[in-house]
Amino acid sequence: MWIFSWKGPSGFSASSTAEEVTQGIDGTGLTAIVTGASSGLGVETTRVLTLRGVHVIMAVRNTDAGKNVKEQILKEIPNAKIDVMELDLSSMGSVRKFASDYNASGLPLNLLINNAGVMATPFQLSQDNIELQFATNHLGHFLLTNLLLETMKKTAHESNKEGRIVNLSSDGHRYAYREGIRFDKINDESGYNSIYAYGQSKLSNILHANELARRLKEEGVEITANSLHPGAIVTNLLRHHSFLNVIANTLGKYVLKNVPQGAATQCYVALHPQVKGISGEYFMDSNKAKASSHAQDAELAKKLWDFSLSMTNQN
């Protein structure tokens, strides 16, 4: 497929799989949390990280589904180190409980892969009365990251290994509302557009990583934060748009990435030595890429950070 043939400076292209981009990398001794690990890209990311020796904690809303995935992976990789923990990113109470339980477990944390997400849902509010896509895709991960940060700092210091935070965004961030983030209209049902709201949440993922990277650099902490676009992939994210879903599943094999290709960039950013020391960047096809002008707006990133703190009651 010609659209996948070009290779960037990293030596990888859009057709590279997660296994290929992590070939020869030994992740033994590293511990990772992968959110949304029971379906789509999360399953493949979990499988490939365990294949490389990483101890993976699957943070999933449905623990039965998570346990089924764990059993499947153990059949293929008998010595895989996997645990399953419950996490519903649309509920701040669930996020706080997960983080509290994790921090109390004494487990280290080298890699945090904020992978979970919902896409283009009809207007609805989360348990905390916040528009669901913004609540799940951004605020849940923002709160989770902040609550786990001390454990990550401690791990980076004690292990003398760089910690990495990886936010799964999307090139859909280019199709947010005109102003980027609708701070005063997050819950405005009358002006709601499911695609723009998705774009807003994915733009937030990039801005979050950028501002976090700036703060970590300022603090002199050996933890990086980056965001990425996995590529156009057939997963179950389009289930709320049946017509688009049918088209994607019919034509997808010709123009879209499969899941092993889709999981490549997050595995690359999480594990590859080429990414060491790189922070506050946006990746696509296992190479650095350029995000939208809104996504590169440092003032917008700071404003979103403060807004997110107040929305998650962390002020």
Side-chain angles (χ1 to χ4, degrees), residues 302-314:
K302 286 176 190 172
K303 187 176 179 182
L304 176 65
W305 186 278
D306 293 338
F307 179 74
S308 303
L309 283 177
S310 66
M311 292 285 278
T312 52
N313 300 310
Q314 294 182 88

Side-chain angles (χ1 to χ4, degrees), residues 4 25 32 43 64 68 77-78 163 178 214 228 231 257 262 280 296:
F4 290 151
I25 295 173
V43 173
D64 286 339
N68 286 339
I77 312 162
R178 193 180 69 245
R214 187 189 71 77
L228 64 97
K257 291 186 180 186
Q296 298 174 66

